Coordinates of all heavy atoms in Angstrom, one line a residue:
M915 N 2.1 15.4 2.1 CA 2.6 16.7 1.7 C 3.0 17.4 3.0 O 2.3 17.4 4.0 CB 1.6 17.5 0.9 CG 2.2 18.9 0.6 SD 1.5 19.7 -0.8 CE 0.0 20.4 -0.2
K916 N 4.2 18.0 3.0 CA 4.7 18.7 4.2 C 4.1 20.1 4.2 O 4.0 20.8 3.2 CB 6.2 18.9 4.2 CG 6.9 17.5 4.3 CD 8.4 17.7 4.3 CE 9.0 16.3 4.4 NZ 10.4 16.4 4.5
D917 N 3.7 20.6 5.4 CA 3.2 21.9 5.6 C 4.3 23.0 5.5 O 4.1 24.1 5.1 CB 2.5 22.0 7.0 CG 1.2 21.2 7.0 OD1 0.6 21.0 6.0 OD2 0.8 20.8 8.1
L918 N 5.5 22.6 6.0 CA 6.6 23.5 6.0 C 7.9 22.7 6.2 O 8.0 21.7 6.9 CB 6.5 24.4 7.3 CG 7.7 25.4 7.5 CD1 7.9 26.4 6.5 CD2 7.7 26.0 8.9
E919 N 8.9 23.1 5.4 CA 10.2 22.6 5.6 C 11.3 23.7 5.5 O 11.2 24.5 4.6 CB 10.5 21.5 4.5 CG 11.9 20.9 4.7 CD 12.1 19.7 3.8 OE1 11.1 19.0 3.5 OE2 13.3 19.4 3.5
F920 N 12.2 23.7 6.4 CA 13.2 24.7 6.5 C 14.5 24.0 6.6 O 14.7 23.1 7.5 CB 13.0 25.7 7.7 CG 14.2 26.6 7.8 CD1 14.2 27.8 7.1 CD2 15.2 26.4 8.7 CE1 15.2 28.7 7.2 CE2 16.3 27.3 8.8 CZ 16.3 28.5 8.1
T921 N 15.5 24.3 5.7 CA 16.8 23.8 5.8 C 17.8 24.9 5.7 O 17.7 25.8 4.9 CB 17.1 22.8 4.6 OG1 16.1 21.8 4.6 CG2 18.4 22.2 4.7
Q922 N 18.8 24.8 6.6 CA 19.8 25.8 6.6 C 21.2 25.1 6.7 O 21.4 24.3 7.6 CB 19.7 26.7 7.9 CG 20.7 27.8 7.9 CD 20.5 28.7 9.1 OE1 20.8 28.2 10.2 NE2 20.1 29.9 8.9
K923 N 22.1 25.4 5.7 CA 23.4 24.8 5.7 C 24.4 26.0 5.7 O 24.3 26.8 4.8 CB 23.6 24.0 4.5 CG 22.7 22.7 4.4 CD 23.0 21.9 3.3 CE 22.1 20.7 3.3 NZ 22.4 19.7 2.2
R924 N 25.3 26.0 6.7 CA 26.3 27.0 6.8 C 27.6 26.4 7.4 O 27.5 25.4 8.1 CB 25.8 28.1 7.8 CG 24.5 28.8 7.4 CD 24.2 30.0 8.3 NE 24.1 29.7 9.7 CZ 24.0 30.6 10.6 NH1 24.0 31.8 10.4 NH2 23.9 30.2 11.9
T925 N 28.6 27.1 7.1 CA 29.9 26.8 7.8 C 30.1 27.7 8.9 O 30.0 29.0 8.8 CB 31.1 26.9 6.8 OG1 30.9 26.0 5.7 CG2 32.4 26.6 7.5
L926 N 30.3 27.2 10.1 CA 30.4 28.0 11.4 C 31.7 27.6 12.1 O 32.2 26.5 11.9 CB 29.2 27.7 12.3 CG 27.8 27.9 11.8 CD1 26.8 27.4 12.9 CD2 27.6 29.4 11.5
S927 N 32.2 28.6 12.8 CA 33.3 28.2 13.7 C 32.8 27.3 14.9 O 31.5 27.3 15.1 CB 33.9 29.5 14.3 OG 33.0 30.1 15.2
R928 N 33.6 26.7 15.6 CA 33.2 25.8 16.7 C 32.4 26.7 17.7 O 31.4 26.2 18.2 CB 34.4 25.2 17.3 CG 34.0 24.2 18.4 CD 35.2 23.4 18.9 NE 36.1 24.3 19.6 CZ 37.4 24.4 19.3 NH1 37.9 23.7 18.3 NH2 38.2 25.3 19.9
A929 N 32.9 27.9 18.0 CA 32.2 28.8 19.0 C 30.8 29.2 18.4 O 29.9 29.2 19.2 CB 33.0 30.0 19.2
E930 N 30.7 29.5 17.1 CA 29.4 29.9 16.6 C 28.4 28.7 16.6 O 27.2 28.8 16.9 CB 29.6 30.3 15.1 CG 30.3 31.7 15.0 CD 30.6 32.0 13.6 OE1 31.0 31.1 12.8 OE2 30.6 33.2 13.2
A931 N 28.9 27.4 16.3 CA 28.1 26.3 16.4 C 27.6 26.0 17.8 O 26.5 25.7 18.0 CB 28.9 25.0 15.9
A932 N 28.5 26.2 18.8 CA 28.1 26.1 20.2 C 27.1 27.1 20.6 O 26.1 26.8 21.3 CB 29.4 26.2 21.1
D933 N 27.2 28.4 20.1 CA 26.3 29.4 20.4 C 24.9 29.0 19.9 O 23.9 29.2 20.5 CB 26.7 30.7 19.9 CG 27.9 31.4 20.6 OD1 28.2 30.9 21.7 OD2 28.5 32.3 20.0
Q934 N 24.9 28.5 18.7 CA 23.6 28.0 18.0 C 23.0 26.9 18.8 O 21.8 26.9 19.1 CB 23.9 27.6 16.6 CG 22.6 27.4 15.8 CD 22.9 27.2 14.3 OE1 23.8 26.3 14.0 NE2 22.2 27.9 13.4
L935 N 23.8 25.9 19.3 CA 23.2 24.8 20.1 C 22.8 25.3 21.4 O 21.7 24.8 21.9 CB 24.3 23.7 20.2 CG 24.6 22.9 19.0 CD1 25.8 22.1 19.2 CD2 23.4 22.1 18.5
D936 N 23.5 26.3 22.0 CA 23.1 26.8 23.3 C 21.7 27.5 23.2 O 20.9 27.4 24.1 CB 24.1 27.9 23.8 CG 25.3 27.2 24.5 OD1 25.3 26.1 24.8 OD2 26.3 28.0 24.6
A937 N 21.5 28.3 22.1 CA 20.3 29.0 22.0 C 19.1 28.0 21.7 O 18.0 28.2 22.3 CB 20.4 29.9 20.8
L938 N 19.4 26.9 21.0 CA 18.4 25.9 20.8 C 18.1 25.2 22.1 O 16.9 24.9 22.4 CB 18.8 24.9 19.7 CG 17.9 23.8 19.4 CD1 16.6 24.2 18.9 CD2 18.5 22.8 18.4
A939 N 19.1 24.8 22.9 CA 18.9 24.2 24.2 C 18.1 25.1 25.1 O 17.2 24.6 25.8 CB 20.2 23.8 24.8
A940 N 18.4 26.3 25.1 CA 17.6 27.3 26.0 C 16.1 27.3 25.6 O 15.2 27.3 26.4 CB 18.2 28.7 25.9
A941 N 15.9 27.3 24.3 CA 14.5 27.3 23.8 C 13.8 26.0 24.2 O 12.6 26.1 24.6 CB 14.5 27.5 22.3
V942 N 14.4 24.9 24.0 CA 13.8 23.6 24.4 C 13.6 23.6 25.9 O 12.5 23.1 26.4 CB 14.7 22.4 23.9 CG1 14.2 21.2 24.5 CG2 14.8 22.4 22.4
R943 N 14.6 24.1 26.7 CA 14.4 24.1 28.2 C 13.2 24.9 28.6 O 12.5 24.6 29.5 CB 15.7 24.6 28.8 CG 15.7 24.5 30.3 CD 17.1 24.8 30.8 NE 18.0 23.8 30.5 CZ 19.1 23.9 29.7 NH1 19.3 25.1 29.1 NH2 19.9 22.9 29.4
R944 N 13.0 26.1 28.0 CA 11.9 27.0 28.3 C 10.6 26.4 27.9 O 9.6 26.5 28.6 CB 12.1 28.3 27.6 CG 12.9 29.3 28.3 CD 12.9 30.7 27.7 NE 13.0 30.7 26.2 CZ 14.1 30.8 25.5 NH1 15.3 30.9 26.2 NH2 14.1 30.8 24.2
G945 N 10.6 25.7 26.7 CA 9.3 25.2 26.2 C 8.3 26.2 25.8 O 8.7 27.4 25.7
G946 N 7.1 25.8 25.6 CA 6.1 26.8 25.2 C 6.4 27.4 23.8 O 6.9 26.6 23.0
Q947 N 6.1 28.6 23.6 CA 6.4 29.3 22.4 C 7.9 29.7 22.4 O 8.3 30.5 23.1 CB 5.5 30.5 22.2 CG 4.1 30.2 22.0 CD 3.8 29.5 20.7 OE1 3.5 28.4 20.7 NE2 3.9 30.2 19.6
A948 N 8.7 29.0 21.6 CA 10.1 29.3 21.5 C 10.4 30.0 20.2 O 9.9 29.6 19.1 CB 10.9 28.0 21.6
E949 N 11.2 31.1 20.3 CA 11.6 31.8 19.1 C 13.0 31.5 18.8 O 13.9 31.7 19.6 CB 11.4 33.3 19.3 CG 11.4 34.2 18.1 CD 11.0 35.6 18.4 OE1 11.9 36.4 18.8 OE2 9.8 35.9 18.2
L950 N 13.3 31.0 17.6 CA 14.6 30.6 17.2 C 15.1 31.6 16.1 O 14.5 31.8 15.1 CB 14.7 29.2 16.6 CG 14.1 28.1 17.5 CD1 14.1 26.8 16.7 CD2 14.9 28.0 18.8
N951 N 16.3 32.2 16.4 CA 16.9 33.1 15.4 C 17.7 32.2 14.4 O 18.6 31.5 14.7 CB 17.9 34.1 16.0 CG 17.1 35.1 16.9 OD1 16.2 35.6 16.4 ND2 17.6 35.3 18.1
L952 N 17.3 32.3 13.1 CA 17.9 31.5 12.1 C 18.4 32.3 11.0 O 17.8 32.5 9.9 CB 16.8 30.5 11.5 CG 16.2 29.5 12.6 CD1 15.1 28.7 12.0 CD2 17.3 28.5 13.1
G953 N 19.5 33.0 11.3 CA 20.1 33.9 10.3 C 19.2 35.1 10.0 O 19.0 35.9 10.9
P954 N 18.7 35.3 8.8 CA 18.0 36.5 8.5 C 16.6 36.6 9.1 O 16.0 37.6 9.1 CB 17.9 36.4 7.0 CG 17.9 35.0 6.6 CD 18.8 34.4 7.7
G955 N 16.1 35.5 9.6 CA 14.7 35.5 10.1 C 14.6 34.8 11.4 O 15.5 34.3 12.0
K956 N 13.4 34.7 12.0 CA 13.1 34.0 13.2 C 11.9 33.0 12.9 O 11.0 33.3 12.1 CB 12.6 35.0 14.3 CG 13.7 35.9 14.7 CD 13.1 36.9 15.8 CE 14.2 37.8 16.2 NZ 13.8 38.7 17.3
L957 N 12.0 31.9 13.6 CA 11.0 30.9 13.5 C 10.5 30.6 14.9 O 11.2 30.5 15.9 CB 11.6 29.6 13.0 CG 10.7 28.4 12.9 CD1 9.6 28.6 11.8 CD2 11.5 27.1 12.4
T958 N 9.1 30.7 15.1 CA 8.5 30.5 16.3 C 7.9 29.1 16.3 O 7.1 28.8 15.4 CB 7.4 31.5 16.6 OG1 8.1 32.8 16.6 CG2 6.8 31.3 18.0
L959 N 8.2 28.3 17.3 CA 7.6 26.9 17.4 C 7.1 26.7 18.8 O 7.6 27.3 19.8 CB 8.7 25.9 17.3 CG 9.4 25.8 15.9 CD1 10.6 24.9 16.0 CD2 8.5 25.3 14.9
R960 N 6.0 25.9 18.9 CA 5.5 25.5 20.2 C 6.2 24.2 20.6 O 6.2 23.2 19.9 CB 4.0 25.2 20.2 CG 3.5 24.9 21.6 CD 2.0 24.3 21.5 NE 2.0 23.0 20.8 CZ 2.3 21.9 21.3 NH1 2.7 21.8 22.6 NH2 2.2 20.7 20.6
I961 N 7.0 24.3 21.7 CA 7.8 23.1 22.1 C 7.1 22.5 23.4 O 7.0 23.2 24.4 CB 9.2 23.5 22.4 CG1 9.9 24.0 21.2 CG2 10.0 22.2 22.9 CD1 11.3 24.5 21.3
P962 N 6.6 21.3 23.2 CA 5.8 20.6 24.3 C 6.8 20.1 25.4 O 8.0 20.2 25.4 CB 5.1 19.5 23.7 CG 6.1 19.1 22.6 CD 6.7 20.4 22.1
D963 N 6.2 19.5 26.5 CA 6.9 19.1 27.6 C 7.7 17.8 27.3 O 8.7 17.5 27.9 CB 6.0 18.8 28.8 CG 5.5 20.1 29.4 OD1 6.1 21.1 29.2 OD2 4.4 20.0 30.1
E964 N 7.2 17.0 26.3 CA 7.9 15.7 25.9 C 8.2 15.7 24.4 O 7.4 16.1 23.6 CB 7.0 14.5 26.2 CG 6.9 14.2 27.7 CD 6.3 12.9 28.0 OE1 5.8 12.2 27.0 OE2 6.1 12.6 29.2
L965 N 9.4 15.3 24.1 CA 9.9 15.3 22.8 C 10.5 13.9 22.5 O 10.9 13.2 23.4 CB 11.1 16.2 22.5 CG 10.9 17.7 23.0 CD1 12.2 18.4 23.0 CD2 9.9 18.4 22.1
H966 N 10.4 13.5 21.2 CA 11.1 12.2 20.8 C 12.4 12.7 20.2 O 12.5 13.7 19.5 CB 10.3 11.5 19.7 CG 8.9 11.1 20.1 ND1 8.7 10.0 20.9 CD2 7.7 11.7 19.9 CE1 7.4 9.9 21.2 NE2 6.8 10.9 20.6
T967 N 13.5 12.0 20.6 CA 14.8 12.4 20.2 C 15.6 11.3 19.5 O 15.3 10.1 19.8 CB 15.7 13.0 21.3 OG1 16.0 12.0 22.2 CG2 15.1 14.2 22.0
E968 N 16.5 11.6 18.6 CA 17.3 10.6 18.0 C 18.7 11.2 17.7 O 18.7 12.4 17.3 CB 16.7 10.2 16.6 CG 17.5 9.2 15.9 CD 16.8 8.8 14.5 OE1 15.6 8.9 14.4 OE2 17.6 8.4 13.6
I969 N 19.7 10.6 18.1 CA 21.1 11.0 17.8 C 21.8 9.9 17.0 O 21.7 8.7 17.3 CB 21.9 11.2 19.1 CG1 21.2 12.3 20.0 CG2 23.3 11.6 18.8 CD1 21.9 12.6 21.3
E970 N 22.3 10.4 15.9 CA 23.0 9.5 14.9 C 24.4 10.0 14.6 O 24.6 11.2 14.4 CB 22.1 9.4 13.7 CG 22.7 8.5 12.6 CD 21.8 8.5 11.4 OE1 20.5 8.6 11.5 OE2 22.3 8.4 10.3
V971 N 25.4 9.1 14.7 CA 26.7 9.4 14.4 C 27.2 8.5 13.2 O 27.0 7.3 13.4 CB 27.7 9.3 15.6 CG1 29.1 9.6 15.2 CG2 27.2 10.2 16.7
E972 N 27.7 9.0 12.2 CA 28.2 8.3 11.1 C 29.7 8.6 10.8 O 30.0 9.8 10.8 CB 27.4 8.5 9.8 CG 26.0 8.0 9.8 CD 25.3 8.3 8.5 OE1 26.0 8.4 7.4 OE2 24.1 8.3 8.5
L973 N 30.5 7.6 10.7 CA 31.9 7.9 10.3 C 32.1 7.2 8.9 O 31.9 6.0 8.7 CB 32.9 7.2 11.3 CG 32.7 7.6 12.8 CD1 33.5 6.7 13.7 CD2 33.0 9.0 13.0
D974 N 32.6 8.0 8.0 CA 32.7 7.5 6.6 C 33.8 8.3 5.9 O 33.7 9.5 5.7 CB 31.4 7.7 5.9 CG 31.4 7.0 4.5 OD1 32.1 6.0 4.3 OD2 30.6 7.4 3.7
D975 N 34.8 7.6 5.4 CA 35.9 8.2 4.6 C 36.5 9.5 5.3 O 36.7 10.5 4.7 CB 35.4 8.6 3.2 CG 35.2 7.4 2.3 OD1 35.9 6.4 2.6 OD2 34.4 7.5 1.4
G976 N 36.8 9.3 6.6 CA 37.4 10.4 7.3 C 36.5 11.6 7.6 O 37.0 12.6 8.0
E977 N 35.2 11.4 7.5 CA 34.3 12.5 7.8 C 33.3 12.0 8.9 O 32.9 10.9 8.9 CB 33.5 12.9 6.6 CG 32.5 14.1 6.9 CD 31.9 14.6 5.6 OE1 32.5 15.3 4.8 OE2 30.7 14.3 5.4
V978 N 33.0 12.9 9.9 CA 32.1 12.5 10.9 C 30.8 13.3 10.7 O 30.8 14.5 10.4 CB 32.6 12.9 12.3 CG1 31.6 12.6 13.4 CG2 33.9 12.2 12.6
E979 N 29.7 12.6 10.7 CA 28.4 13.3 10.6 C 27.6 13.0 11.8 O 27.4 11.9 12.2 CB 27.6 12.8 9.4 CG 26.3 13.5 9.2 CD 25.6 13.0 7.9 OE1 26.3 12.7 6.9 OE2 24.3 13.0 7.9
L980 N 27.2 14.1 12.5 CA 26.4 14.0 13.8 C 25.1 14.7 13.5 O 25.0 15.8 13.1 CB 27.1 14.7 14.9 CG 26.3 15.0 16.2 CD1 26.0 13.7 16.9 CD2 27.1 15.9 17.1
E981 N 24.0 13.9 13.7 CA 22.7 14.4 13.5 C 21.9 14.3 14.8 O 21.9 13.3 15.5 CB 21.9 13.6 12.5 CG 22.5 13.7 11.1 CD 21.6 12.9 10.1 OE1 20.4 12.6 10.3 OE2 22.2 12.6 9.0
I982 N 21.3 15.4 15.2 CA 20.4 15.4 16.4 C 19.0 15.8 15.9 O 18.8 16.9 15.3 CB 20.9 16.5 17.4 CG1 22.4 16.1 17.8 CG2 20.0 16.5 18.6 CD1 23.1 17.2 18.6
E983 N 18.1 14.9 16.1 CA 16.8 15.1 15.7 C 15.8 15.1 16.8 O 15.9 14.3 17.7 CB 16.4 14.0 14.7 CG 15.0 14.1 14.1 CD 14.8 13.0 13.0 OE1 15.6 12.8 12.1 OE2 13.7 12.4 13.1
M984 N 14.9 16.1 16.8 CA 13.8 16.2 17.8 C 12.5 16.2 17.1 O 12.4 17.0 16.1 CB 14.0 17.4 18.7 CG 15.2 17.4 19.5 SD 15.2 18.9 20.5 CE 17.0 19.2 20.5
S985 N 11.5 15.5 17.6 CA 10.2 15.6 16.9 C 9.1 15.5 18.0 O 9.3 15.1 19.1 CB 10.1 14.5 15.9 OG 10.1 13.2 16.5
W986 N 7.9 16.1 17.6 CA 6.8 16.1 18.5 C 5.6 16.3 17.7 O 5.6 16.8 16.6 CB 6.9 17.1 19.6 CG 7.1 18.5 19.2 CD1 6.1 19.4 18.9 CD2 8.3 19.2 18.9 NE1 6.6 20.6 18.5 CE2 8.0 20.5 18.5 CE3 9.7 18.9 19.0 CZ2 8.9 21.5 18.2 CZ3 10.6 19.8 18.7 CH2 10.2 21.1 18.3
R987 N 4.4 15.9 18.2 CA 3.1 16.1 17.5 C 2.6 17.5 17.8 O 2.9 18.1 18.8 CB 2.1 15.1 18.1 CG 2.5 13.6 18.0 CD 2.2 13.0 16.8 NE 0.9 13.3 16.2 CZ 0.5 13.1 15.0 NH1 1.4 12.6 14.1 NH2 -0.6 13.5 14.5
T988 N 2.0 18.0 16.8 CA 1.4 19.4 16.9 C -0.1 19.3 17.3 O -0.6 20.3 17.7 CB 1.6 20.2 15.6 OG1 0.9 19.4 14.6 CG2 3.0 20.4 15.3
D989 N -0.6 18.1 17.2 CA -2.1 18.0 17.5 C -2.4 17.5 18.9 O -3.5 17.1 19.2 CB -2.7 17.1 16.4 CG -2.2 15.7 16.4 OD1 -1.2 15.5 17.1 OD2 -2.7 14.8 15.7
R990 N -1.4 17.4 19.7 CA -1.6 16.9 21.1 C -1.2 17.9 22.1 O -0.2 18.5 22.0 CB -0.7 15.7 21.2 CG -1.1 14.8 22.4 CD -0.3 13.5 22.3 NE 1.1 13.7 22.1 CZ 2.0 12.8 21.9 NH1 1.6 11.5 21.8 NH2 3.2 13.0 21.7
P991 N -2.1 18.2 23.1 CA -1.8 19.2 24.1 C -0.6 18.7 25.0 O -0.4 17.5 25.1 CB -3.1 19.4 24.9 CG -3.8 18.1 24.7 CD -3.4 17.6 23.3
D992 N 0.1 19.7 25.7 CA 1.1 19.3 26.6 C 0.5 18.6 27.8 O -0.7 18.8 28.1 CB 1.7 20.6 27.2 CG 2.6 21.3 26.2 OD1 2.9 20.7 25.1 OD2 3.1 22.4 26.4
R993 N 1.3 17.8 28.5 CA 0.8 17.1 29.7 C 0.3 18.1 30.8 O -0.6 17.8 31.4 CB 2.0 16.3 30.3 CG 2.1 14.9 29.7 CD 3.1 14.2 30.5 NE 3.1 12.8 30.1 CZ 3.8 11.9 30.6 NH1 4.7 12.2 31.5 NH2 3.7 10.6 30.2
A994 N 1.0 19.2 30.9 CA 0.7 20.2 31.9 C -0.8 20.7 31.7 O -1.5 20.9 32.6 CB 1.7 21.3 32.0
E995 N -1.1 20.9 30.4 CA -2.4 21.4 30.0 C -3.5 20.2 30.3 O -4.6 20.5 30.7 CB -2.5 21.7 28.6 CG -1.6 23.0 28.3 CD -1.5 23.2 26.8 OE1 -2.2 22.5 26.0 OE2 -0.8 24.2 26.4
D996 N -3.1 19.0 30.2 CA -4.0 17.8 30.4 C -4.3 17.8 31.9 O -5.5 17.5 32.2 CB -3.3 16.5 30.0 CG -3.2 16.3 28.5 OD1 -3.9 17.1 27.8 OD2 -2.5 15.4 28.1
T997 N -3.4 18.0 32.8 CA -3.6 17.9 34.2 C -4.2 19.2 34.8 O -4.6 19.2 36.0 CB -2.3 17.6 34.9 OG1 -1.4 18.6 34.7 CG2 -1.8 16.2 34.5
A998 N -4.3 20.3 34.0 CA -4.8 21.5 34.6 C -6.3 21.5 34.7 O -6.8 22.4 35.4 CB -4.4 22.7 33.6
D999 N -7.0 20.6 34.1 CA -8.5 20.6 34.2 C -9.0 20.1 35.5 O -8.5 19.3 36.2 CB -9.0 19.7 33.0 CG -8.8 20.3 31.7 OD1 -8.6 21.6 31.6 OD2 -8.7 19.6 30.7

């Protein structure tokens, strides 16, 4: 069973999509507690020093689908915290 799932589907201009990706990239770059603005609300996530990533591109019937997936464990401390002891 999932603890939480959030899905957002919207139509954005290219500039709006770039702004959303820029904000996400900045949050990942900062790490730690990252606050993401997701339309009407905000989501706060702890982003560790290491992430697993997957990029998938599908071309089908004249449509391109690009998926960027990032995942990480929530039960494991950051490396920086491991070496701080």
Side-chain angles (χ1 to χ4, degrees):
M915 178 157 80
K916 293 183 182 183
D917 293 332
L918 171 71
E919 182 171 332
F920 173 85
T921 302
Q922 182 181 69
K923 295 182 181 186
R924 300 187 301 171
T925 299
L926 302 173
S927 69
R928 187 175 62 237
E930 290 169 328
D933 289 344
Q934 190 173 49
L935 289 170
D936 282 343
L938 179 59
V942 170
R943 189 170 289 113
R944 278 189 310 272
Q947 291 294 106
E949 195 170 87
L950 305 173
N951 290 314
L952 300 170
K956 292 181 182 184
L957 178 63
T958 301
L959 296 171
R960 184 192 64 81
I961 300 178
D963 291 337
E964 288 190 358
L965 310 167
H966 300 282
T967 64
E968 179 179 335
I969 297 176
E970 183 178 324
V971 178
E972 292 181 22
L973 306 172
D974 189 27
D975 288 334
E977 182 174 286
V978 177
E979 183 175 326
L980 169 64
E981 293 183 24
I982 301 171
E983 182 175 309
M984 294 180 217
S985 62
W986 59 89
R987 303 275 318 162
T988 58
D989 60 353
R990 198 169 48 187
D992 287 352
R993 276 188 167 178
E995 293 172 4
D996 288 344
T997 59
D999 294 333

